[in-house]
Amino acid sequence: MKNWYDFTNLDPLGPSYPFVRQVIGAMGEKIAADGRVEVGLAPYFFPGGVTIDEQHQSNVGGLFAAGEAAGGLHGAERIASTAMAEAVVFGKRAGREAAAVAMNRRRDPIDGAEVAREVERLHAILAQEGPQGPRAVRRRIQAIMWERVGFIRSEADLLAAQHALEEIAAVDLGRTRIRSKSPTANLDWVEAIENANLVDVGKMLVMAALQRRESRGSHFREDFPEESPTWGKSLALYRDGSAMRCAPAAGGTQ
Amino acid sequence: MSGEQTTVRLFRFDPARDAAPRYVDHRVPYDEHTTILDLLEHLHEHDEPLAFHRECRMFKCGICAVNVNGRPVLACKERVTQCANPAMLVIEPLACYPVIKDLMVDFTVDLDDRGHLRAFPEGAVEAGAAAAVTAREADVLREYTACIRCGICVEACARVVKNSQEQVNPLHMLDLARLALDSRDQADRVIEALGEGLRGCTECRQCNQVCPVDLDVFELSIVKLRTMAAERGLA
């Protein structure tokens, strides 16, 4: 299957297109006479992020989030070319709030035992041996998410993805081979640490997509293709002990 | 990747372990679309693990600069077929930053160094001038935002100006020129630029030759600052 981007009539929109043309040129591609250029599809954005209050603070004391790291601004679908405005407007507000908090509060004491546990976790990853490297595991995570959690979703696909991600978490993450044992600039190590995070994020996406039995914005369920009036609300994912949970967010509709 | 093969002569160096850098040759397939970054990813996966910087892969983030056959390029943008000698590619780290490992250099040197420049509109908040930028001024300043701070002009410049007394850092000059043109900034950036070696520029324009985002670095930095200095009789 081939996908095409059509540049016809897009010039009036102006300033963002020189960059697109620059990329196409640098890649050695050409815009055809009919204005088309062949492109690949990729998921680029998910309208989710850290839950924050009106002061932009998360439920981790002193941790603030703004822009695309924070959830909720866009509702069910992102509006293109708003990332910079979002970062500038809400970054300024978050920065001001964070500065006020920093002025008036002592830093919480650092829990040495927690730091030691994290250092131990990371070094256990560095020491790992196994049948495959982090790149191979990464490709499997990507394939699962692309095939099962991509543009068109269904309960069967989402359950299959959930199962596959749990298997990677249980089997593969703990026996990913890290070729170099150097703690400096070790890309295998970084990739393996990121893989564990990606599996967590993947499981969060799957859990929320399973629960939302409707279609809305960028979330399309072929088994529930219609938008449902009862689903005009956000879902919040959180940790409960060692379990991941998903429930309608406080604050209700958006 | 299929078709032609190139020989990559790769710089390898772990300062914690090696007394000196070594070069290792590899045969790597390439085609018309293969970038230098593709070669590095290929070698990292199929050969020994390699340390190198990469993030956005679309020449926006500016982290992946390396030297190829002695020319500083952005690895994600430069295609093998664009190199002067595609059959033999000597890939080395930028020489103007300290090597962390292999091709990975320490850009924080530049950030630390930049600290003394205070490269933000100084005094803007106190003066309540944050909203004072006009649309026309913004158009002038916008030109500077195209810079991705990859360090390639710093690398090219450092080769030309061997005498450290005359060394100019193009990124610092871009910062100072931008701030000198920003009505919110209360500091005297022209005097600072003179202290940073504004007079030392030899006008070779290598910075423009190598810039991966085609910025007129020389005009935006040196010419702008020297003009402002001349207007004040400081040239």
Side-chain angles (χ1 to χ4, degrees):
Chain A
M1 187 176 73
K2 285 195 169 188
N3 300 289
W4 303 87
Y5 195 101
D6 188 347
F7 275 85
T8 321
N9 303 326
L10 281 183
D11 275 351
L13 290 174
S16 61
Y17 290 95
F19 177 67
V20 177
R21 286 177 192 279
Q22 194 189 1
V23 171
I24 291 165
M27 297 300 157
E29 300 292 343
K30 287 187 177 59
I31 299 172
D34 63 2
R36 296 191 308 169
V37 66
E38 190 183 347
V39 294
L41 296 179
Y44 169 61
F45 182 87
F46 285 88
V50 177
T51 302
I52 51 173
D53 62 17
E54 284 171 24
Q55 281 71 47
H56 292 260
Q57 194 160 189
S58 70
N59 64 354
V60 176
L63 182 67
F64 292 75
E68 296 194 336
L73 183 71
H74 295 284
E77 179 64 291
R78 175 182 190 255
I79 305 163
S81 293
T82 56
M84 194 61 82
E86 192 180 345
V88 169
V89 171
F90 295 101
K92 181 181 174 185
R93 289 169 56 162
R96 198 163 47 203
E97 296 290 344
V101 167
M103 285 284 280
N104 295 317
R105 130 179 189 173
R106 284 179 185 280
R107 195 164 68 182
D108 291 342
I110 291 170
D111 181 347
E114 194 175 341
V115 173
R117 275 197 302 279
E118 181 63 6
V119 169
E120 194 181 339
R121 181 184 78 89
L122 297 176
H123 279 273
I125 295 174
L126 180 62
Q128 278 177 193
E129 297 295 342
Q132 57 186 349
R135 180 60 53 92
V137 177
R138 173 70 55 94
R139 290 205 175 104
R140 279 179 53 209
I141 298 169
Q142 289 172 328
I144 292 162
M145 297 305 290
W146 177 254
E147 287 161 18
R148 308 284 194 181
V149 199
F151 302 106
I152 299 173
R153 299 164 175 175
S154 70
E155 182 163 307
D157 273 345
L158 291 168
L159 288 172
Q162 193 170 49
H163 179 75
L165 290 171
E166 274 163 12
E167 187 179 290
I168 289 177
V171 178
D172 300 291
L173 291 182
R175 48 174 208 152
T176 301
R177 184 177 67 247
I178 310 299
R179 292 172 292 175
S180 160
K181 302 304 176 190
S182 163
T184 306
N186 184 336
L187 298 192
D188 273 7
W189 191 18
V190 172
E191 194 162 14
I193 293 165
E194 288 174 347
N195 282 349
N197 295 340
L198 282 176
V199 168
D200 278 346
V201 174
K203 283 159 73 176
M204 290 162 77
L205 277 168
V206 169
M207 183 175 262
L210 267 172
Q211 191 151 334
R212 188 177 282 278
R213 292 157 82 93
E214 64 149 1
S215 291
R216 180 184 297 268
S218 56
H219 168 74
F220 181 76
R221 287 275 303 256
E222 62 181 350
D223 42 357
F224 298 98
E226 303 298 328
E227 189 173 297
S228 159
T230 62
W231 269 110
K233 56 191 168 192
S234 297
L235 289 167
L237 292 128
Y238 58 98
R239 187 152 80 171
D240 178 9
S242 61
M244 189 183 287
R245 306 241 185 260
C246 180
T253 59
Q254 46 178 319
Chain B
M1 289 188 281
S2 62
E4 301 286 313
Q5 289 221 326
T6 179
T7 297
V8 174
R9 179 160 294 171
L10 195 59
F11 176 100
R12 294 254 184 201
F13 183 45
D14 182 352
R17 211 185 55 186
D18 306 330
R22 63 203 158 92
Y23 288 83
V24 185
D25 284 5
H26 299 279
R27 296 287 288 168
V28 187
Y30 74 96
D31 66 20
E32 63 192 305
H33 297 293
T34 307
T35 62
I36 298 301
L37 185 57
D38 292 332
L39 299 180
L40 300 181
E41 293 283 8
H42 181 89
L43 290 168
H44 172 60
E45 192 172 354
H46 298 287
D47 188 62
E48 282 179 72
L50 179 69
F52 59 112
H53 282 302
R54 83 284 203 224
E55 291 295 337
C56 79
R57 297 155 201 272
M58 53 192 279
F59 38 101
K60 278 286 204 190
C61 81
I63 198 77
C64 67
V66 292
N67 278 308
V68 177
N69 293 344
R71 184 182 155 84
V73 299
L74 214 50
C76 70
K77 189 177 184 195
E78 192 79 359
R79 279 176 286 138
V80 173
T81 50
Q82 289 172 315
C83 297
N85 179 14
M88 176 71 197
L89 303 170
V90 183
I91 306 184
E92 298 166 299
L94 295 186
C96 63
Y97 297 98
V99 173
I100 298 170
K101 196 200 283 184
D102 299 335
L103 302 176
M104 193 181 273
V105 295
D106 186 1
F107 288 111
T108 61
V109 174
D110 184 49
L111 292 177
D112 292 346
D113 197 23
R114 208 172 162 224
H116 82 272
L117 290 184
R118 303 176 321 286
F120 48 85
E122 194 171 32
V125 175
E126 293 84 343
V133 176
T134 62
R136 216 165 101 196
E137 200 184 335
D139 283 341
V140 174
L141 298 177
R142 190 172 292 118
E143 285 197 71
Y144 290 84
T145 66
C147 172
I148 59 174
R149 305 197 71 84
C150 60
I152 284 178
C153 59
V154 182
E155 175 83 1
C157 188
R159 289 187 189 183
V160 175
V161 188
K162 298 287 186 202
N163 180 352
S164 63
Q165 294 298 308
E166 292 176 355
Q167 201 121 43
V168 190
N169 183 320
L171 285 180
H172 290 182
M173 290 297 150
L174 280 170
D175 281 335
L176 293 171
R178 170 175 58 80
L179 289 160
L181 293 164
D182 187 332
S183 64
R184 297 170 300 176
D185 187 58
Q186 310 294 309
D188 192 337
R189 302 300 183 169
V190 174
I191 294 289
E192 287 178 31
L194 289 165
E196 292 281 323
L198 177 61
R199 292 192 180 98
C201 170
T202 64
E203 306 187 11
C204 72
R205 294 172 174 77
Q206 274 299 307
C207 47
N208 290 2
Q209 294 293 316
V210 294
C211 178
V213 293
D214 302 323
L215 217 61
D216 191 341
V217 181
F218 174 70
E219 167 67 30
L220 288 174
S221 60
I222 303 297
V223 173
K224 284 278 197 303
L225 285 164
R226 282 185 178 169
T227 305
M228 285 184 269
E231 282 166 359
R232 290 167 54 182
L234 296 168

